Amino acid sequence: MAGVFISIEGTDGSGKSTQVKLVAEALRRENGLDVVETFEPGGTEIGMKIREILLSPKTVNMSPITELMLFYAARAQHVAEVIQPALRRGAYVITDRFCDSTFAYQSYGRGINPELIRQLDALLLKGFKPDLTIVIDLDVSIGLNRKKAASTADRLEMEELLFHERVREGFLDLSKAESRRFKVLDGAFPVETLTKRIVETIKERCNCL
Ligand code: TYD
């Protein structure tokens, strides 16, 4: 039996990580499902080492192409080591970020030609994509302020506001281009309302609960 692969996307501080946890708990509690929670960049030991290079403010002068390759190196390991084995045993996998973050940050944010990312994605992931992608859409300054209050900024969060605005536009454009895979939800909803909306969307779209 094949499982179900769900990604939760959004700009920094949009509330993805909280929702991954709450949605996974709800699916386990209410539906008795085998749910794997994971995240990018990371999700594996190798991925965590790559994450450190990518996010550390001590990393300076990284070219956009190097950044792109490292995100995909971490992703290839994540898919092979965690995501695909879990899907093969029939689990629900919920990831905090996946390939759409690369299109939003490295293409809309950094300006890399999206065709290059599409080619890299096709080469490495061979068409493997989430069954459902939730975008939590939120005013970027609200998200960045939440982050500032919680921790010191990582290398990408330190980018200017306009960079984050482009990333937000990126997620919205991607959602329009693939409306069957995506669902955009308002990140300004109270936390519990958002969790309910995400669980409802999983039920509707994945046709499986
Ligand atoms: P994340 O740990 O999700 O940060 P946060 O919890 O602050 O949202 O992601 C780390 C950063 O990496 C985030 O700024 C987005 C960025 N990122 C990319 O630029 N490209 C990618 O492909 C991925 C997965 C993340």
Side-chain angles (χ1 to χ4, degrees), residues 11-13 16-17 40-41 51 55 67 71 75 96-98 101-102 105-106 147 154 156-157:
T11 47
D12 293 87
K16 299 169 288 88
S17 316
E40 291 202 352
R51 178 185 176 92
L55 300 189
E67 186 178 277
F71 276 115
R75 181 163 304 135
D96 181 344
R97 300 195 183 281
F98 198 64
S101 274
T102 312
Y105 282 80
Q106 278 63 52
K147 281 279 179 183
D154 68 34
L156 282 116
E157 283 158 17

Side-chain angles (χ1 to χ4, degrees), residues 128-164:
F128 177 71
K129 274 186 192 190
D131 299 299
L132 169 66
T133 297
I134 305 281
V135 171
I136 303 181
D137 182 54
L138 186 68
D139 183 296
V140 293
S141 42
I142 297 179
L144 290 170
N145 282 336
R146 280 184 187 168
K147 281 279 179 183
K148 261 187 221 145
S151 60
T152 50
D154 68 34
R155 195 176 59 89
L156 282 116
E157 283 158 17
M158 284 159 65
E159 286 293 332
E160 57 177 5
L161 199 63
L162 270 175
F163 173 91
H164 294 280

